[in-house]
Structures are given as structure tokens and as C-alpha cells.
Amino acid sequence: MKRPFEVIEISEDENTSEENMKKAAKKAVKKATTNPLMKMMAASKELKQAECVGVKGLYQFKDFVTQREADNLIAEIEAWTDCSWKKSTFNSHRYLVKNYGLVTLYAERATRLPDTSKGEHKTPHFLKPVIEKITDKKQPWAQLLPQDWVPNEGNINTYEKMRNDFLPSHFDDRALSGPVLAVLTLSGSATVTFKQFRSGTTQPQIDAGRVEAQLEKRVFFPNHCLQLVTGNSRYNFTHGIDTEDLSDEKRVCIVFRMSKAPQ
């Protein structure tokens, strides 16, 4: 196995040349950064730094997109007029949404392909580069994803303070919606409240007030940041956003999931 660091020997003649010293240093850095072990160590350090304190399994990768990329995506979303904004049917109207990809049938505990005759839509073309970046195996965050994880459904959400929009505290379906939630904030940062419940707690139990949270943690989601909700944060924490926790007048974010394939 290669050593994580390799010694670059410099001759006496080379020592007399500052330019050669710089070249040798660059060569050493290049060898270190292309060493597989060093790359793995760097990725592990980045993942540790990205994990949110107090919410195990929640990771944030800041500046996942640039301001220009975010603006272009928002323009594409608004230009996607075939898919109009709809009032969220999740616990009545709380925000506006554009859904794409597989359709989740909660009552039947199943999914199906989108039916364009019903105004349903496949994943739009402008999200493909984002999905490719999220699933890029060369990136450190890809280590958090199952080997075959590729989003097949999701939603684009927009919240406005003037409408008193908010996201009710909830679990994304833990059987149908897959092991990872990826959330990309395009504009409008917000503070998201995560509440931890004992394993096996159901949404109806929470809604009926029959159980209390064991832990509550408020996490700031900045602009242009990618959040990956995995493990404990995915299955034992609810998440929600109160109106007053919207930092800006308008928030736009995209949620990516790999839901259970249709049977």
C-alpha cells in the first residue's frame, strides 16, 4: 500500500534554485492529493465537518450551487409552465409546490409512474445536471448515498411570509420515500426544526399529541446549500419550518428522493 505522504528528494544543485524548490513542492502536493488513501482521508474529514451537531445523520454542504446557477434554476422552474404551482395537499395548504417523478399513493402504500393526462410530470430536464452532481461518486457527499441511489421523484417548494406559509413538522414516508432526502436551497434561507422521537413513533401518534419529542434542534439552512437527511435524522427526527423561521420573504427549494419503485 502506498504511503499517504511521499518524500521528494532534492539534490544539492536543486537546492540552489528557488524555482526548482517550488516545482518540487508542487510535485509533492500533487502526489499527496492524488494518493487514494489521502483522498479518502480528506473526504472523511469533510464529511465529519459537514455533519450537523445534535442531529446525527444530517449533513450540510455549503455553496453546492453558485448564485448564478441558483438564479438559472429558478428561471427554469418559473418557465416550466406545463407544471403549474399548486397548493400543497400535505395537511391542507401550507405552501406552493411543483411535483415531479413517481407519484406516491399513500393509502395503497405504493408508487406509480406519472400520468401526463392527469397533469403529472416526469423529472424535468433542467434538474438532470443537479442530480448528476449529487450522485457524482467522486464527491465526498456521495459516500452517504446507497450505491444505486438515483432520485426518481421529488418536489419544488416555494414559501412566502406574506401568505404565512410554513412546513408542518413531519416524517417523509419512511417506507416509500427511500433512505435519503436531498434538499437544495436555491433562495431564502430558513431555520428548520428537527424533533427526535423514540424509534417506531408514528406520525398519527405525534399529531394526536400522544408522544413527546425527546430532543429538539433548530438547524439553519443557508442559501445554495445541499442537505442530506440520512440515518437517524431520516427515521427518528421530524422536520418542519415555522413561518417566523423563514429568513427571507420568499424561499425556493428542491427535494430529491429515490422512492420505492412501482410494482
Side-chain angles (χ1 to χ4, degrees):
M1 184 175 66
K2 290 184 178 181
R3 294 174 295 174
F5 297 96
E6 296 195 23
V7 177
I8 306 298
E9 294 185 359
I10 303 174
S11 69
E12 188 174 340
D13 290 339
E14 288 177 322
N15 269 324
T16 61
S17 170
E18 183 177 350
E19 185 63 29
N20 284 339
M21 289 284 286
K22 289 180 179 179
K23 288 181 179 179
K26 287 181 180 180
K27 187 177 180 182
V29 170
K30 184 177 180 180
K31 283 195 173 186
T33 54
T34 55
N35 184 299
L37 178 58
M38 286 299 296
K39 290 174 72 175
M40 184 174 67
M41 291 169 62
S44 178
K45 181 180 180 181
E46 187 168 346
L47 289 180
K48 187 174 181 180
Q49 292 173 340
E51 187 167 21
C52 297
V53 177
V55 185
K56 189 171 180 59
L58 176 65
Y59 295 83
Q60 286 193 352
F61 299 92
K62 297 179 180 179
D63 300 319
F64 183 82
V65 291
T66 64
Q67 181 67 57
R68 182 176 180 178
E69 289 169 334
D71 289 344
N72 287 341
L73 281 167
I74 291 173
E76 291 273 19
I77 291 167
E78 293 298 344
W80 188 25
T81 53
D82 288 346
C83 182
S84 58
W85 291 107
K86 298 178 180 178
K87 293 182 179 181
S88 169
T89 55
F90 176 74
N91 284 353
S92 73
H93 168 48
R94 298 293 184 268
Y95 52 90
L96 296 183
V97 62
K98 292 189 177 191
N99 295 305
Y100 63 87
L102 293 183
V103 177
T104 303
L105 308 170
Y106 294 105
E108 293 88 342
R109 309 305 300 152
T111 62
R112 62 169 173 77
L113 295 174
D115 184 343
T116 55
S117 69
K118 296 180 179 180
E120 297 164 356
H121 302 271
K122 297 179 180 179
T123 301
H125 67 88
F126 56 83
L127 291 185
K128 298 294 177 66
V130 182
I131 291 173
E132 288 175 0
K133 185 174 181 178
I134 294 173
T135 57
D136 184 355
K137 302 299 183 186
K138 297 177 182 178
Q139 300 299 334
W141 52 78
Q143 294 186 27
L144 301 170
L145 305 175
Q147 190 67 25
D148 62 346
W149 192 86
V150 178
N152 55 18
E153 67 96 359
N155 42 278
I156 304 167
N157 299 339
T158 180
Y159 306 82
E160 291 188 17
K161 272 191 171 182
M162 289 290 290
R163 292 196 303 251
N164 293 317
D165 289 352
F166 66 95
L167 178 66
S169 185
H170 69 287
F171 295 107
D172 280 53
D173 195 289
R174 290 168 288 183
L176 297 176
S177 298
V180 176
L181 309 176
V183 183
L184 176 60
T185 299
L186 297 180
S187 71
S189 54
T191 298
V192 181
T193 300
F194 285 81
K195 296 180 181 180
Q196 184 177 22
F197 294 87
R198 69 177 184 274
S199 181
T201 299
T202 66
Q203 188 73 47
Q205 288 175 325
I206 296 172
D207 294 341
R210 297 201 299 268
V211 293
E212 293 185 359
Q214 298 173 320
L215 173 71
E216 183 173 312
K217 184 75 174 178
R218 289 162 54 80
V219 181
F220 183 67
F221 279 26
N223 275 345
H224 310 152
C225 188
L226 174 72
Q227 287 81 28
L228 293 182
V229 186
T230 74
N232 197 35
S233 67
R234 169 73 179 94
Y235 292 105
N236 293 324
F237 280 83
T238 60
H239 56 275
I241 306 173
D242 293 331
T243 304
E244 56 268 28
D245 286 332
L246 295 169
S247 302
D248 302 283
E249 285 304 314
K250 185 175 182 179
R251 169 176 168 78
V252 180
C253 66
I254 310 173
V255 183
F256 302 87
R257 307 180 191 85
M258 182 179 177
S259 288
K260 180 180 179 182
Q263 299 297 312

